[in-house]
Amino acid sequence: MRHDLMRGLKNQPFMLMEQTPSQQNWQAYNSLKRPGQMRAQSYQTIAHGADTIQFFQLRRSKGACEKFHGAVISHSGSEETRVFQECSQLGAELAALGSQLLGADNPAQVGILFDWDNYWALEYTSGPSVDLKYCNQIHQYYRYFYDRHIPVDMVPMDGDFSRYKAIVAPVLYMVKEGVAEALTAFVEAGGTLITGFMSGIVDQSDNVHLGGYPGPLRKLCGVWAEEIDALAPEQSNTLKFMDGSQSKCGLLCDILHLEGAQALAVYGEDFYAGAPAVTKNAYGKGTVYYVGTQPEAQGLDKILDSLTGQGEIHPLIPDRTQLEVTRRVKDGTEFWFILNLTGKPQPLPESFAGETDMLTGEKAGDLKSFDAILVKRSAL
């Protein structure tokens, strides 16, 4: 997600300024990168839009506070170390690739709104919960798409929403001038918006939008959030979906009233049991989902499955695999990255059977721990 966020700053390829070849020295426990891990993480960075990768540091320093930080050249000064050999291998592979990938795009059908002012405003506000963290909320949604090999862009508030079929905007606390109008136009034209609790609360000056939550998004979402309940870590509620399935939820619970939306799930407990918790609203040619609480992973998956199940948003491959599969595109050519970051051997997805690995020149096969495969195809 960090890589996608950096690419999204200018919607352009980026530079990874520093990665350690082996280990840090400033964490509580400075574990070594396992064999192949640095290479796999390097290709993960390239897969998500980097055009170049730098190392910190070239040579381990003799003294001072970073003398135990990893480096391409260790204190031994030897070329025979595992780390030096892995860096040398990566350098040779990148040299062989040349400029083929430079400037390649990362096409995506889904955009996740990420706004720094919103980030700061939400986390510096007093209440309703000390456990409400902006990046954590964004990452819960990102995880869903990542696990299903659905590429996303991290989009700023003034981004071009029309490029996407769906915009995901968790905890859209601060709605600045023009943002509600842009989201409304996006949905009216047929787009899908996913938002939820702690959205539409304040303007760009951090003053509350009066007239009821979610403020300028109220009509678009088709709900009114009358109250916001905060649950302590040991507390939870239950989401009861209309098909009879259930999921735990917690952190915050919007107590919602329907104003045109339909309930997809209701609360199962407390004085607001039976009140809508997750809703869907038809607006113009599009749809708005409002998630009024924090579901556990399986509950959020079920909600987002409603979005991807419509057939408009497609995973890159149909295979279910623990591997990461990412794609960049340039001049009618697709570059497919198949990465094993699980730490265990994994089978090659059927979608790539018979393909050739650009990095080795050999036929692609099952991936060992921290292995990476790059496949080149003509774009359809």
Side-chain angles (χ1 to χ4, degrees), residues 313-368:
I313 295 173
H314 306 284
L316 290 176
I317 59 172
D319 314 63
R320 292 307 298 262
T321 173
Q322 295 185 55
L323 299 170
E324 177 177 332
V325 178
T326 311
R327 179 190 62 177
R328 292 182 73 178
V329 179
K330 178 182 178 183
D331 299 333
T333 300
E334 297 178 339
F335 298 90
W336 291 78
F337 296 81
I338 305 102
L339 308 170
N340 183 9
L341 301 169
T342 67
K344 300 177 181 179
Q346 297 291 337
L348 180 74
E350 284 295 321
S351 296
F352 300 101
E355 298 278 10
T356 299
D357 180 8
M358 291 180 66
L359 304 179
T360 64
E362 300 175 358
K363 184 177 178 180
D366 293 345
L367 288 82
K368 60 181 183 292

Side-chain angles (χ1 to χ4, degrees), residues 99-150:
S99 61
Q100 292 183 75
L101 276 158
L102 296 183
D105 295 325
N106 288 76
Q109 296 178 315
V110 176
I112 298 181
L113 283 194
F114 193 103
D115 180 65
W116 303 91
D117 294 337
N118 194 84
Y119 182 178
W120 299 329
L122 180 73
E123 295 200 8
Y124 277 111
T125 193
S126 182
S129 172
V130 69
D131 295 327
L132 179 59
K133 302 298 181 183
Y134 185 69
C135 289
N136 290 350
Q137 294 301 315
I138 298 289
H139 190 264
Q140 290 181 49
Y141 286 82
Y142 185 94
R143 174 202 58 81
Y144 172 87
F145 297 106
Y146 177 87
D147 286 349
R148 286 156 181 78
H149 318 296
I150 298 174

Side-chain angles (χ1 to χ4, degrees), residues 243-261:
D243 63 3
S245 61
Q246 296 186 10
S247 172
K248 286 293 185 181
C249 62
L251 186 66
L252 295 180
C253 296
D254 277 357
I255 302 175
L256 299 173
H257 300 274
L258 300 179
E259 295 183 334

